[in-house]
Amino acid sequence: MVTQRALGVRLLLLALLLVSGEEESKTSLEQPRNVCLGLINKDQYEPFYLENTAQCFTKCGQRESEPCDLGNLQRYWLKYETYLVEKTLVETVNMSFMKAFVKNVNTSISEDLYFSLTPSQIPRQVAVDEDEHSDRVRLPRSLFETLQGNQSVIRLAVMVLDIGRGNLFKGPQFSQEDGHSVLNNHLVGLSLGGTPVTRLAEPLQMTFFHQLQPPNVTLSCVFWDVTKGSTGDWSSKGCSTELRATGTVCRCDHLTFFALLMRPILDQATVKALIRISQAGCGASMIFLAFTVVLYAILRFSRQRFKSEDAPKIHVALSISLFLLNLAFFINVGQGSNWSDATCWARGAVFHYFLLCVFTWMGLEAFHLYLLIIKVFNTYFGHYFLKLSLVGWGLPALMVIGTGSANSYGRYAIRDKKNITTLELCWFREKTAVSALYVTVHGYFLITFLFNAVVLGLVAWNICTLSSSTAGKEQGQNWKGVFTMLGLSCLVSSSSAGLLGSTSLAGAPCPPLLALSELTRHTLCLVNRGLPCGQAGASPTLWSVLTCCVTSGGSLPPSGFPWLYNVSGEGGDGDQVRPSGLKELIQMHRWVQQSTQIQDCRSLKFL
C-alpha cells in the first residue's frame, strides 16, 4: 500500500515537472518573437543580445510579420554607442552588421583627425593622403580644443551600422512614400559618449563615394533627430551637401548618427496627386463638352436653323474630338506604366489620332469662317459638311497609319528642365521617333495655327473695311468692332494657342473652347443691330435698303440669294423671310456696292 502511494507521488511530481518544462520551453520560444518590441534586450549589449536585436533590421519590414516598436529599437542602438564610450574598454567591434572603433583622443592635438568608413572594414585612423578614394570622415582639431577645459583625454567612437531594408531608421515618411532610401543602408555614428557636441565653429566633413545616381534622384546629408516625432526622424538642419562627380561631401556642425539620404525629386505620392488633378481637369472638360453635344442635339430637333446651318455642326465635331482627346489622355495617365508593347502602341496611336483631329477641326473652323466672311460669293458646295468630315476624321487617320507603320509609338517620358523624369506614358518612342513627333504634331499644329492667324487677319481687315462705310451713322461703333475682333480671336487664334500645351503633353485642351467659339458666332450677329439673327423683328433700315435696291434698281440679285428673291416678291411674302447670318448681310452689301444699275442704293448706309 505504501509502495503504491509512493509511486503515485512520484508520478505526480514527474507530471508537474513535465508541465513546468513545457511552460519554460514555451517561454523560451516566445522570447525571440518579442525581441523587436525592444524590451527583452534593453540595456543588454553583449554580443548575443546584439545579434539577437539585429534580426529586427529585417523583421521590421514594410509588411511586419510580428509587432515592432521602432522607437525602442532605435534608442537601443543610439545608446549602444554611448555604452561603448563610457562603460567598456574595447577598442574595436567587428560584427556582420556593425563595425566600430573606439579611440582615446588628446584634446590638445595639433591636427585634424581622419578615419576610414569602409563598410566591410573596421573604422581606423588614416593619414590625410591615405585612402583618399574611400569613405572617410574628418574631425577638425577645433572640435577637441573646445573640450580642453573639461578633460585632457576623451574617448571617441566611430561606428558604421548596416540597418538593412526594414523600417528601422527610415523615418515616418518611408512607410508611406516610395523611392526614399538610405545610401547602401549604412549609418555612420560619431559620439563622445555623454558629452554633447553641437554648433561647431568648423564642421566635421564626411565623404561618401558612390556611383552616379539617376537624374530623378537627389542626395542629401541628414542626421537622426530624436526630437522629431515620437520615434525620431531624419533632419538636415546644421548639415550641408556638396555633390561631386564621384561622390558626395557632407558637412555638419554636431555629432550623432549620419546618413546620405536618397529621395526622388518627384516622389510617387506627388506624382499620384498630380495625376488625379489632371484627371479631374479632363473629367470636367468632358462633362462640359458632353453637355454641348447634347444641347446641340436638342436644338437640332427644336429649331429649324440648326438642321440646315453647317457652323453648329463644325462646332459639335470639334467638341466630339476634344471629348475623345480628353478621354484618351484620362486613360493614358491613369493606368500606370505596366503595359505590354502592343497595348502601349495602340494607346499612343489613339491619343495621337484624336489630337490631330482637334487640330484639323480647328483648321476647318477657320476655313468655314473664311468662306463665310471673306469669299462670300460662289461658296456653295454639295454635301459640304460630309466633305469636311472626311477631312476632319480621315486626314488624321492617314497620318496615324503612316506614323504607326514606322513603329513610332511606344513609351515616352516627360522630363522637366533638369532632365528629370516626372511621368511616363504611351506616346512617341523616346529618341527613336523624335522626327515623327515634330513633323506630325508640332509641325501640323504650327501649320494650323498660322492658317488660323492668316484667316483672322483677313477677317479683321474685311470687318474694318465694311464698318468704315457706317462712320457717323451710329455712335459707339468702335467698341463694337473691338468686341467683335476679340470674339474672333478666341475662335480662330486663342483657342488654337490653348492647344499648344497638348503638342508637348504639358496639359489638357481648354474646356470652354466650344463655348467661346459659339459665343463668338452669336456675338458677330448681335453686335450689328441691323442683323435679325433669325428673330422675328427686322431692322427698318435694312429692309428699306433691301426694298429700294431690288424694286427701284430694275434688276434682280445674282444666284445664291434665295432669301432676296423672296423679298422681291418671287418666292412669297417677303416680310416672313429673314437673312439667317452675317454671310447673307455681307452678300447683300457687296452686291449693292458692285451694282452699276442701282445708283440710289449705293448712297444708303445700312450697317
Short mmCIF file of all heavy atoms in Angstrom, two decimals, residues 283-315:
data_model
loop_
_atom_site.label_atom_id
_atom_site.label_comp_id
_atom_site.label_asym_id
_atom_site.label_seq_id
_atom_site.Cartn_x
_atom_site.Cartn_y
_atom_site.Cartn_z
N GLY A 283 -11.88 65.30 -66.65
CA GLY A 283 -13.27 64.93 -66.37
C GLY A 283 -14.20 66.12 -66.47
O GLY A 283 -15.30 66.02 -67.04
N ALA A 284 -13.78 67.25 -65.92
CA ALA A 284 -14.60 68.47 -66.02
C ALA A 284 -14.77 68.89 -67.47
O ALA A 284 -15.87 69.30 -67.90
CB ALA A 284 -13.98 69.58 -65.19
N SER A 285 -13.69 68.82 -68.25
CA SER A 285 -13.79 69.17 -69.68
C SER A 285 -14.76 68.26 -70.39
O SER A 285 -15.59 68.73 -71.20
CB SER A 285 -12.40 69.08 -70.32
OG SER A 285 -11.48 69.96 -69.72
N MET A 286 -14.68 66.97 -70.11
CA MET A 286 -15.58 66.03 -70.79
C MET A 286 -17.04 66.28 -70.42
O MET A 286 -17.93 66.12 -71.26
CB MET A 286 -15.17 64.60 -70.45
CG MET A 286 -13.88 64.16 -71.11
SD MET A 286 -13.53 62.39 -70.91
CE MET A 286 -13.14 62.33 -69.16
N ILE A 287 -17.29 66.68 -69.19
CA ILE A 287 -18.67 66.96 -68.79
C ILE A 287 -19.24 68.11 -69.59
O ILE A 287 -20.36 68.04 -70.13
CB ILE A 287 -18.72 67.25 -67.28
CG1 ILE A 287 -18.43 65.97 -66.47
CG2 ILE A 287 -20.09 67.82 -66.88
CD1 ILE A 287 -18.33 66.19 -64.99
N PHE A 288 -18.49 69.22 -69.70
CA PHE A 288 -18.99 70.38 -70.43
C PHE A 288 -19.07 70.11 -71.93
O PHE A 288 -19.99 70.59 -72.60
CB PHE A 288 -18.09 71.59 -70.15
CG PHE A 288 -18.25 72.16 -68.78
CD1 PHE A 288 -17.29 71.95 -67.81
CD2 PHE A 288 -19.38 72.89 -68.44
CE1 PHE A 288 -17.44 72.46 -66.53
CE2 PHE A 288 -19.54 73.42 -67.18
CZ PHE A 288 -18.56 73.20 -66.21
N LEU A 289 -18.12 69.36 -72.46
CA LEU A 289 -18.19 69.03 -73.88
C LEU A 289 -19.38 68.13 -74.18
O LEU A 289 -20.05 68.30 -75.20
CB LEU A 289 -16.88 68.35 -74.30
CG LEU A 289 -15.64 69.25 -74.31
CD1 LEU A 289 -14.38 68.41 -74.47
CD2 LEU A 289 -15.73 70.28 -75.42
N ALA A 290 -19.62 67.16 -73.31
CA ALA A 290 -20.80 66.30 -73.50
C ALA A 290 -22.08 67.11 -73.40
O ALA A 290 -23.04 66.89 -74.17
CB ALA A 290 -20.79 65.19 -72.46
N PHE A 291 -22.13 68.08 -72.48
CA PHE A 291 -23.30 68.94 -72.37
C PHE A 291 -23.52 69.72 -73.66
O PHE A 291 -24.67 69.90 -74.12
CB PHE A 291 -23.11 69.90 -71.19
CG PHE A 291 -24.17 70.95 -71.08
CD1 PHE A 291 -25.43 70.65 -70.55
CD2 PHE A 291 -23.94 72.23 -71.53
CE1 PHE A 291 -26.41 71.61 -70.46
CE2 PHE A 291 -24.92 73.21 -71.44
CZ PHE A 291 -26.16 72.90 -70.90
N THR A 292 -22.43 70.19 -74.29
CA THR A 292 -22.55 70.95 -75.53
C THR A 292 -23.13 70.07 -76.64
O THR A 292 -24.01 70.51 -77.40
CB THR A 292 -21.18 71.48 -75.95
OG1 THR A 292 -20.66 72.30 -74.90
CG2 THR A 292 -21.27 72.30 -77.22
N VAL A 293 -22.65 68.84 -76.73
CA VAL A 293 -23.15 67.94 -77.78
C VAL A 293 -24.62 67.61 -77.56
O VAL A 293 -25.42 67.62 -78.51
CB VAL A 293 -22.29 66.66 -77.81
CG1 VAL A 293 -22.88 65.66 -78.81
CG2 VAL A 293 -20.85 66.98 -78.16
N VAL A 294 -25.00 67.35 -76.33
CA VAL A 294 -26.40 67.05 -76.02
C VAL A 294 -27.28 68.26 -76.30
O VAL A 294 -28.39 68.14 -76.85
CB VAL A 294 -26.54 66.60 -74.56
CG1 VAL A 294 -28.01 66.46 -74.16
CG2 VAL A 294 -25.80 65.28 -74.34
N LEU A 295 -26.80 69.45 -75.95
CA LEU A 295 -27.57 70.67 -76.21
C LEU A 295 -27.79 70.87 -77.70
O LEU A 295 -28.89 71.25 -78.14
CB LEU A 295 -26.84 71.87 -75.61
CG LEU A 295 -27.51 73.23 -75.80
CD1 LEU A 295 -28.88 73.26 -75.13
CD2 LEU A 295 -26.63 74.35 -75.26
N TYR A 296 -26.78 70.60 -78.50
CA TYR A 296 -26.95 70.73 -79.95
C TYR A 296 -27.98 69.72 -80.46
O TYR A 296 -28.81 70.06 -81.32
CB TYR A 296 -25.61 70.51 -80.65
CG TYR A 296 -25.76 70.35 -82.14
CD1 TYR A 296 -25.97 71.46 -82.96
CD2 TYR A 296 -25.70 69.09 -82.74
CE1 TYR A 296 -26.12 71.32 -84.32
CE2 TYR A 296 -25.85 68.94 -84.11
CZ TYR A 296 -26.06 70.06 -84.90
OH TYR A 296 -26.22 69.93 -86.25
N ALA A 297 -27.94 68.51 -79.94
CA ALA A 297 -28.91 67.51 -80.38
C ALA A 297 -30.34 67.95 -80.07
O ALA A 297 -31.26 67.76 -80.87
CB ALA A 297 -28.60 66.16 -79.72
N ILE A 298 -30.52 68.56 -78.91
CA ILE A 298 -31.86 69.05 -78.55
C ILE A 298 -32.29 70.19 -79.46
O ILE A 298 -33.42 70.23 -79.97
CB ILE A 298 -31.87 69.49 -77.08
CG1 ILE A 298 -31.62 68.27 -76.17
CG2 ILE A 298 -33.20 70.15 -76.72
CD1 ILE A 298 -31.48 68.63 -74.70
N LEU A 299 -31.38 71.16 -79.68
CA LEU A 299 -31.71 72.31 -80.52
C LEU A 299 -31.94 71.90 -81.97
O LEU A 299 -32.71 72.53 -82.70
CB LEU A 299 -30.61 73.35 -80.44
CG LEU A 299 -30.43 74.04 -79.09
CD1 LEU A 299 -29.24 74.99 -79.13
CD2 LEU A 299 -31.69 74.81 -78.71
N ARG A 300 -31.30 70.86 -82.40
CA ARG A 300 -31.46 70.40 -83.78
C ARG A 300 -32.89 69.93 -84.04
O ARG A 300 -33.40 70.10 -85.16
CB ARG A 300 -30.47 69.28 -84.07
CG ARG A 300 -30.55 68.73 -85.49
CD ARG A 300 -29.48 67.67 -85.72
NE ARG A 300 -29.63 67.05 -87.03
CZ ARG A 300 -29.14 67.54 -88.16
NH1 ARG A 300 -28.48 68.68 -88.13
NH2 ARG A 300 -29.30 66.92 -89.31
N PHE A 301 -33.52 69.36 -83.03
CA PHE A 301 -34.90 68.90 -83.20
C PHE A 301 -35.91 70.00 -82.91
O PHE A 301 -37.06 69.90 -83.32
CB PHE A 301 -35.16 67.71 -82.30
CG PHE A 301 -34.46 66.46 -82.73
CD1 PHE A 301 -33.28 66.05 -82.11
CD2 PHE A 301 -34.96 65.68 -83.77
CE1 PHE A 301 -32.63 64.90 -82.51
CE2 PHE A 301 -34.31 64.53 -84.18
CZ PHE A 301 -33.14 64.14 -83.55
N SER A 302 -35.50 71.04 -82.22
CA SER A 302 -36.44 72.09 -81.85
C SER A 302 -36.36 73.32 -82.72
O SER A 302 -37.31 74.09 -82.80
CB SER A 302 -36.22 72.49 -80.38
OG SER A 302 -34.91 73.00 -80.19
N ARG A 303 -35.22 73.55 -83.38
CA ARG A 303 -35.06 74.74 -84.20
C ARG A 303 -34.60 74.33 -85.59
O ARG A 303 -33.64 73.58 -85.75
CB ARG A 303 -34.05 75.71 -83.58
CG ARG A 303 -34.52 76.27 -82.24
CD ARG A 303 -33.64 77.42 -81.81
NE ARG A 303 -34.07 77.99 -80.54
CZ ARG A 303 -33.51 79.06 -79.98
NH1 ARG A 303 -32.48 79.65 -80.57
NH2 ARG A 303 -33.98 79.51 -78.83
N GLN A 304 -35.27 74.88 -86.60
CA GLN A 304 -35.02 74.50 -87.98
C GLN A 304 -33.64 74.92 -88.44
O GLN A 304 -32.97 74.21 -89.20
CB GLN A 304 -36.09 75.12 -88.90
CG GLN A 304 -35.97 74.73 -90.35
CD GLN A 304 -36.21 73.25 -90.59
OE1 GLN A 304 -36.94 72.63 -89.82
NE2 GLN A 304 -35.60 72.69 -91.62
N ARG A 305 -33.15 76.06 -87.98
CA ARG A 305 -31.88 76.61 -88.47
C ARG A 305 -30.70 75.72 -88.10
O ARG A 305 -29.69 75.70 -88.79
CB ARG A 305 -31.65 78.01 -87.92
CG ARG A 305 -31.64 78.11 -86.42
CD ARG A 305 -31.52 79.58 -86.01
NE ARG A 305 -30.24 80.16 -86.37
CZ ARG A 305 -29.22 80.28 -85.51
NH1 ARG A 305 -29.37 79.87 -84.27
NH2 ARG A 305 -28.09 80.81 -85.90
N PHE A 306 -30.82 74.95 -87.03
CA PHE A 306 -29.72 74.08 -86.64
C PHE A 306 -29.61 72.86 -87.54
O PHE A 306 -28.60 72.17 -87.54
CB PHE A 306 -29.89 73.64 -85.19
CG PHE A 306 -29.43 74.66 -84.20
CD1 PHE A 306 -30.31 75.61 -83.70
CD2 PHE A 306 -28.12 74.69 -83.76
CE1 PHE A 306 -29.89 76.56 -82.80
CE2 PHE A 306 -27.69 75.63 -82.85
CZ PHE A 306 -28.57 76.58 -82.37
N LYS A 307 -30.69 72.56 -88.30
CA LYS A 307 -30.63 71.43 -89.23
C LYS A 307 -29.93 71.81 -90.53
O LYS A 307 -29.31 70.97 -91.17
CB LYS A 307 -32.04 70.93 -89.54
CG LYS A 307 -32.76 70.33 -88.34
CD LYS A 307 -34.13 69.81 -88.75
CE LYS A 307 -34.83 69.17 -87.55
NZ LYS A 307 -36.17 68.64 -87.92
N SER A 308 -30.04 73.07 -90.92
CA SER A 308 -29.51 73.49 -92.21
C SER A 308 -28.14 74.14 -92.11
O SER A 308 -27.33 74.03 -93.04
CB SER A 308 -30.49 74.48 -92.88
OG SER A 308 -30.70 75.61 -92.02
N GLU A 309 -27.82 74.82 -91.03
CA GLU A 309 -26.55 75.52 -90.93
C GLU A 309 -25.41 74.56 -90.64
O GLU A 309 -25.56 73.59 -89.87
CB GLU A 309 -26.62 76.59 -89.84
CG GLU A 309 -27.51 77.77 -90.20
CD GLU A 309 -27.36 78.92 -89.24
OE1 GLU A 309 -26.54 78.79 -88.30
OE2 GLU A 309 -28.05 79.94 -89.41
N ASP A 310 -24.25 74.85 -91.21
CA ASP A 310 -23.08 74.00 -91.05
C ASP A 310 -22.21 74.41 -89.87
O ASP A 310 -21.46 73.59 -89.34
CB ASP A 310 -22.23 74.03 -92.33
CG ASP A 310 -22.95 73.40 -93.50
OD1 ASP A 310 -23.56 72.33 -93.29
OD2 ASP A 310 -22.91 73.97 -94.60
N ALA A 311 -22.27 75.69 -89.47
CA ALA A 311 -21.40 76.16 -88.39
C ALA A 311 -21.62 75.39 -87.08
O ALA A 311 -20.64 74.95 -86.45
CB ALA A 311 -21.60 77.66 -88.16
N PRO A 312 -22.86 75.19 -86.64
CA PRO A 312 -23.04 74.40 -85.41
C PRO A 312 -22.52 72.97 -85.53
O PRO A 312 -21.99 72.40 -84.57
CB PRO A 312 -24.55 74.42 -85.18
CG PRO A 312 -25.03 75.64 -85.90
CD PRO A 312 -24.14 75.73 -87.10
N LYS A 313 -22.65 72.39 -86.74
CA LYS A 313 -22.15 71.03 -86.93
C LYS A 313 -20.64 70.98 -86.77
O LYS A 313 -20.09 70.03 -86.20
CB LYS A 313 -22.56 70.52 -88.31
CG LYS A 313 -24.06 70.44 -88.54
CD LYS A 313 -24.36 69.98 -89.97
CE LYS A 313 -25.86 69.96 -90.23
NZ LYS A 313 -26.16 69.57 -91.63
N ILE A 314 -19.94 71.98 -87.28
CA ILE A 314 -18.48 72.02 -87.16
C ILE A 314 -18.09 72.18 -85.69
O ILE A 314 -17.15 71.55 -85.21
CB ILE A 314 -17.92 73.17 -88.02
CG1 ILE A 314 -18.24 72.93 -89.48
CG2 ILE A 314 -16.41 73.31 -87.81
CD1 ILE A 314 -17.83 74.07 -90.40
N HIS A 315 -18.83 73.05 -84.98
CA HIS A 315 -18.56 73.22 -83.55
C HIS A 315 -18.73 71.91 -82.80
O HIS A 315 -17.92 71.55 -81.92
CB HIS A 315 -19.51 74.27 -82.95
CG HIS A 315 -19.34 75.64 -83.55
ND1 HIS A 315 -18.18 76.05 -84.13
CD2 HIS A 315 -20.22 76.68 -83.63
CE1 HIS A 315 -18.33 77.30 -84.57
NE2 HIS A 315 -19.55 77.69 -84.27
#
